[in-house]
Amino acid sequence: MTAPLPAALELERLTRRFGARTVLSEISLSVAQGRITCLLGESGCGKSTLLRLIAGVDRPDDGRILQGAHEVAGPGRFVEPESRKIGFMFQDYALFPHLSVADNLAFGLRDLPKSQRASRVSEVVERIGIGHLTARFPHSLSGGEQQRVALARALAPKPDVLLMDEPFSNLDQGLRERVRRETVETLRKIGATAIIVTHDPQEALAVGDFIVLMRAGRIEQLGSPFEIYDRPNSPYAAEFMGPCNRVTGIWNSGHLETPIGRFPGALDLPDGTLALACIRPQALSLGPDGDGISARVLSKTFMGDSEQIEIMVHPLGETLRMHSHVRIPSAVGERVSLRLNGAQVHLFAQTG
């Protein structure tokens, strides 16, 4: 068994309130050294507030933050941001418009002697590959160039932990994917410990070694990308990580009986209890009518690399959505047969 990585940060029951509103509630989390952790969740769930507590630009109302073996926030103790060796890359990059790229990089190194400062700037410039930009000013840089300069500036002081708040959200889609890939390659190459805030589940799956899914100021689920996607612990987690079809059924002898199939599971429920199946669109496929569960095609939307198809199955009250990377010849209104791949079906107790 592989030994667990040492923790760069430990968060213990962190709570933050603004007036009567609790924004974070008892957040406990271990951030592994040398890994990329993604804080994932919808707007307002507390991601950025948690990042601010870690950075030291805000204080928790309860709980502790340990950096390595040292407490940096807790009852009666607060270490100022500049003493935490934590880098912060802002969503809008926050480059100083009146300074050249080289001077932007040197800004956080003012405590170093001039020769060491110049050496460190040269080192990070070479590592990020922005030597051709050093004499330019932020207004003359593209979005991707600004992002790389902001990353270089955050890494220049050699932080123990790098915090990144929605670092790719200001980039166009095509550029975003390329810059994201280059950034992650750089972070992995230097063995950086990074915490990246994102609202995009696909981005978290692509980037994170570890994902922390947040909901309304609490941790809904945490784990590796595969654990979060393949084994969601709630309907919310299943649906946040990707589209799902909800189908209600009756739990009986270790299986969920539904109008479109019988699914095995490990729910701790008495027989006869209502339960829920969350079925991924890719779990569904279609065949000729008469060769499975009878259904009717309601709509087809061409997505380029796939088709999104809505079907109706009697007696379900809701339509089912499926994705197919194979062209489906069936026309809208035509009767087809529905088939299921049980590997993409997640079962939960019925709530609410």
Side-chain angles (χ1 to χ4, degrees):
M1 179 181 288
T2 304
L5 293 167
L9 278 174
E10 293 278 357
L11 313 183
E12 297 181 357
R13 300 173 68 88
L14 283 186
T15 296
R16 183 69 175 103
R17 306 180 191 91
F18 295 108
R21 187 166 65 100
T22 300
V23 178
L24 292 173
S25 183
E26 298 193 338
I27 299 291
S28 294
L29 174 66
S30 179
V31 177
Q33 186 174 306
R35 291 292 183 263
I36 298 175
T37 297
C38 282
L39 299 182
L40 173 65
E42 58 193 6
S43 296
C45 73
K47 308 183 301 294
S48 294
T49 298
L50 184 56
L51 215 63
R52 290 169 60 82
L53 295 181
I54 295 170
V57 296
D58 194 11
R59 299 177 182 235
D61 291 297
D62 294 299
R64 300 197 307 157
I65 302 174
L66 287 86
Q67 189 176 348
H70 305 287
E71 183 178 277
V72 295
R77 172 124 177 111
F78 184 79
V79 176
E80 295 296 333
E82 59 270 19
S83 301
R84 292 195 185 190
K85 291 203 72 175
I86 290 179
F88 203 136
M89 182 175 162
F90 296 91
Q91 183 176 0
D92 61 359
Y93 310 141
L95 299 174
F96 299 111
H98 62 291
L99 298 180
S100 68
V101 166
D103 289 338
N104 263 281
L105 300 186
F107 186 84
L109 308 174
R110 290 164 296 171
D111 293 339
L112 295 179
K114 187 174 181 180
S115 61
Q116 291 184 32
R117 189 166 46 209
S119 175
R120 181 59 186 153
V121 168
S122 297
E123 180 184 339
V124 76
V125 161
E126 181 177 356
R127 177 160 282 173
I128 305 299
I130 55 173
H132 60 297
L133 303 177
T134 54
R136 291 169 60 181
F137 285 79
H139 73 270
S140 70
L141 305 177
S142 69
E145 289 169 340
Q146 289 185 31
Q147 198 273 352
R148 291 166 69 194
V149 171
L151 175 64
R153 188 178 66 176
L155 291 173
K158 296 187 176 180
D160 292 338
V161 180
L162 175 62
L163 308 180
M164 307 173 75
D165 191 1
E166 300 273 7
F168 314 110
S169 61
N170 290 333
L171 304 175
D172 294 335
Q173 182 62 37
L175 181 61
R176 181 186 309 145
E177 293 178 3
R178 178 175 66 79
V179 171
R180 183 176 69 199
R181 183 176 64 253
E182 292 172 351
T183 299
V184 170
E185 287 174 357
T186 299
L187 295 176
R188 297 202 192 287
K189 184 164 57 177
I190 66 177
T193 302
I195 301 176
I196 299 178
V197 162
T198 180
H199 65 276
D200 183 349
Q202 298 306 311
E203 183 166 276
L205 291 171
V207 168
D209 299 305
F210 194 77
I211 296 175
V212 181
L213 176 60
M214 297 182 64
R215 179 187 185 190
R218 296 180 180 272
I219 294 176
E220 181 77 11
Q221 186 173 356
L222 45 77
S224 72
F226 293 107
E227 289 168 337
I228 294 281
Y229 188 84
D230 292 339
R231 295 186 293 279
N233 64 5
S234 68
Y236 180 87
E239 292 181 313
F240 194 91
M241 298 311 297
C244 284
N245 297 291
R246 284 184 171 231
V247 177
T248 300
I250 297 175
W251 185 252
N252 186 28
S253 301
H255 291 76
L256 184 64
E257 309 276 1
T258 79
I260 60 172
R262 185 170 184 260
F263 306 110
L267 301 179
D268 185 17
L269 296 174
D271 287 354
T273 302
L274 288 177
L276 179 68
C278 288
I279 304 172
R280 300 278 184 206
Q282 58 267 36
L284 307 178
S285 60
L286 300 180
D289 190 25
D291 189 23
I293 302 166
S294 183
R296 185 182 300 278
V297 177
L298 294 184
S299 70
K300 299 174 69 175
T301 304
F302 183 51
M303 312 288 287
D305 61 345
S306 67
E307 277 188 302
Q308 180 175 294
I309 302 164
E310 285 195 334
I311 57 176
M312 175 60 78
V313 179
H314 182 76
L316 294 182
E318 301 285 336
T319 59
L320 300 178
R321 187 196 319 172
M322 63 167 286
H323 294 156
S324 176
H325 290 279
V326 178
R327 298 288 181 265
I328 302 296
S330 306
V332 172
E334 190 172 333
R335 297 207 70 83
V336 291
S337 288
L338 175 66
R339 300 165 180 164
L340 288 100
N341 159 24
Q344 293 288 332
V345 177
H346 309 295
L347 306 185
F348 305 100
Q350 181 85 352
T351 57

